[in-house]
Every structure is written in structure tokens, then in C-alpha cells.
Amino acid sequence: MKPLTQEDMERYWHEVGDELDIAELLKDASVKLGEQHGIIEIDALTTYFHEDFKPHRMDVLEALRRKSGMKMLDCKVNQLFVDKDELVYSPDEKYKAMVQSNPAMQHMRHLFPSIDF
């Protein structure tokens, strides 16, 4: 049996996506041979891939094991996206930003003083 190559694994990845009718999902990730023997690394290219992949994980692994001949093949999902820190703005900062993009907001504030903008 020949050793598994990166090219073979990528081909199997696409074939499995077609066979299991999840090709669109698998396009949101790339696969590579891991540093440890018997482990493939799946690099998630979107924020939702990890959750969407969970129900299909075992089916994908079984198909990859069958194609590669590696009965103990396992995978690790790496999330490559970077979460952005959410900025907390004060109401006054929000109002100033809204007035910059729409000066009519200032007039609205005078017409409706009881509404908190």
C-alpha cells in the first residue's frame, strides 16, 4: 500500500463531499495531513463550519478511512478565522456617529425630545 499524500487526501476530500452530498459544506474548509501519523487537519475557513460539520464528521471520516486505507484515521478541526472584539459604544457616541452619517437626526432629536436616541 502506498503512503498517503497531500494530493490524495485533497482528492478524497472532494470525492467524499460529492458522495455525501455535502460538497458545499466541505468547500468552506481545506484538508491537510497532520504532523502526527493518522491525523488529518481540517482548516475551517468560515465561522460556522465547525458546527455545520459536526453531524457529518463520522460519515466523512468513515469515507476517508475507506478511500485512504487508514483504519485509524482521525481529524482535528482548526478554526482559522479571527474573532473580532466587539466595541462597546456609549449612547452619546452612537448618537454622534448617527448624526455624522445622517444630519437629520439632530432635527429629529429636537422634534422628539422624550425619545432617547
Side-chain angles (χ1 to χ4, degrees), residues 1 6-7 15-16 39 48 59 63 70-71 78 100 111:
M1 185 164 124
Q6 179 64 34
E7 292 79 24
E15 289 173 3
V16 167
I39 302 284
Y48 57 86
D59 293 333
M70 296 179 71
K71 294 179 180 175
N78 301 320
Q100 282 182 344
L111 290 175

Side-chain angles (χ1 to χ4, degrees), residues 4-42:
L4 184 62
T5 65
Q6 179 64 34
E7 292 79 24
D8 289 337
M9 183 52 66
E10 289 174 9
R11 187 177 75 250
Y12 298 154
W13 181 254
H14 294 293
E15 289 173 3
V16 167
D18 292 336
E19 289 172 12
L20 298 177
D21 201 27
I22 56 171
E24 283 299 313
L25 171 63
L26 298 189
K27 284 182 184 176
D28 291 335
S30 62
V31 65
K32 63 184 177 186
L33 297 175
E35 293 179 14
Q36 297 176 343
H37 180 71
I39 302 284
I40 59 169
E41 293 188 21
I42 301 168

Side-chain angles (χ1 to χ4, degrees), residues 50-73:
H50 192 254
E51 287 300 315
D52 290 347
F53 181 68
K54 277 183 184 179
H56 304 286
R57 178 185 169 135
M58 289 311 300
D59 293 333
V60 169
L61 278 174
E62 285 298 319
L64 289 174
R65 289 172 183 156
R66 189 176 61 252
K67 289 182 173 293
S68 68
M70 296 179 71
K71 294 179 180 175
M72 300 302 289
L73 186 68

Side-chain angles (χ1 to χ4, degrees), residues 6 10 12-13 15-16 20 37 43 45-47 55 58 64-65 69 79 87-88 90 101-102 104 110 113 117:
Q6 179 64 34
E10 289 174 9
Y12 298 154
W13 181 254
E15 289 173 3
V16 167
L20 298 177
H37 180 71
D43 291 338
L45 305 175
T46 63
T47 56
M58 289 311 300
L64 289 174
R65 289 172 183 156
Q79 296 179 346
L87 299 176
V88 179
S90 71
S101 65
N102 185 1
H110 291 294
F117 287 92

